[in-house]
Amino acid sequence: QVQLVESGGGLVQAGGSLRLSCLVSASTFVINDMGWYRQAPGKQRELVATISRAGTTNYADSVKGRFTISRDNDKNTVYLQMNSLKPEDMAVYYCYADRMRGPLRVAYWGQGTQVTVSS
């Protein structure tokens, strides 16, 4: 099976930085896309950033220029470097990974890590 374990969340002052990591234990599966989503209280889960196996990235407009997603395919790990954090970035951040099973994309999620930004 596939398991995702996040780390790196915590409390930071506005303007500060945090780095999230997510280790994907995938056995023999090949992980396709990886990424980060977030969910603030009372809001829907939203995309933060994704990265393909080849390294193509996609960011939400709200984090462009501040957040950087990267991955290490050998370690099956995805990272999210978050700089210039704002109070509105405060949320539970979820790691995402998927694999192809024939024509189907199978998605997996981490348990979430809290990011708190104080103003």
Side-chain angles (χ1 to χ4, degrees), residues 4-9 20-22 36-39 45 91-96 109-115:
L4 285 68
V5 179
E6 300 125 331
S7 60
L20 305 183
S21 300
C22 176
W36 294 92
Y37 286 69
R38 67 187 181 187
Q39 187 168 18
R45 189 174 298 189
V92 177
Y93 283 69
Y94 295 92
C95 178
Y96 166 90
W109 295 91
Q111 79 286 356
T113 185
Q114 177 70 46
V115 171

Side-chain angles (χ1 to χ4, degrees), residues 71-85:
R71 66 187 283 173
D72 184 330
N73 289 333
D74 290 337
K75 296 181 179 179
N76 263 355
T77 301
V78 61
Y79 307 96
L80 185 68
Q81 178 65 43
M82 304 185 293
N83 298 329
S84 303
L85 281 160

Side-chain angles (χ1 to χ4, degrees), residues 56-76:
T56 302
T57 58
N58 179 46
Y59 293 94
D61 287 343
S62 59
V63 307
K64 282 180 181 177
R66 300 187 298 120
F67 291 10
T68 302
I69 190 170
S70 60
R71 66 187 283 173
D72 184 330
N73 289 333
D74 290 337
K75 296 181 179 179
N76 263 355

